[in-house]
């Protein structure tokens, strides 16, 4: 599924806790499912945003663009698309109802 072209509002799948290490990785504990995931800082940033409120893919891209630095718009779109697909497959995010 191409999540960039799908008009979905994404949200976190449930409450979570995060623990960061010094190497840029984040342990993400999903309190609802009891599962623990090792995610990157950018994935943790997306999860933090989605825990606050639902965002569309385009809204996430706009928020990420302000934090992206040297990355091109195309690279950012590809990165966000891949992360959303991975987070959805891991059941850490879902379509907001």
């Amino acid at each position: 599924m191409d999540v960039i072209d799908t008009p979905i509002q994404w949200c976190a799948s449930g409450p979570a806790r995060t623990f960061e290490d010094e190497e840029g990785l984040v342990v993400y504990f999903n309190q609802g499912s009891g599962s623990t995931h090792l995610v990157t800082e950018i994935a943790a940033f997306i999860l933090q945003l989605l825990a606050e409120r639902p965002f569309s893919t385009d809204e996430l891209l706009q928020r990420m663009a302000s934090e992206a630095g040297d990355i091109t718009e195309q690279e950012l779109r590809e990165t966000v698309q891949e992360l959303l697909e991975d987070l959805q497959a891991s059941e850490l995010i879902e379509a907001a109802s």
Side-chain angles (χ1 to χ4, degrees), residues 65-96:
S66 65
E67 307 282 334
D70 297 346
I71 192 170
T72 68
E73 183 178 341
Q74 181 61 33
E75 290 171 324
L76 179 62
R77 290 182 74 78
E78 290 170 3
T79 298
V80 170
Q81 177 177 340
E82 183 178 318
L83 283 171
L84 291 173
E85 289 171 355
D86 290 347
L87 294 171
Q88 184 181 30
S90 298
E91 298 180 353
L92 297 178
I93 66 170
E94 60 192 16

Side-chain angles (χ1 to χ4, degrees), residues 36-76:
T36 302
H37 303 267
L38 189 60
V39 299
T40 62
E41 286 180 304
I42 191 168
F45 181 71
I46 289 173
L47 289 164
Q48 179 184 10
L49 290 175
L50 296 177
E52 294 171 9
R53 70 170 181 86
F55 279 84
S56 69
T57 302
D58 285 338
E59 289 173 319
L60 285 171
L61 285 166
Q62 290 171 358
R63 278 300 286 275
M64 301 294 292
S66 65
E67 307 282 334
D70 297 346
I71 192 170
T72 68
E73 183 178 341
Q74 181 61 33
E75 290 171 324
L76 179 62

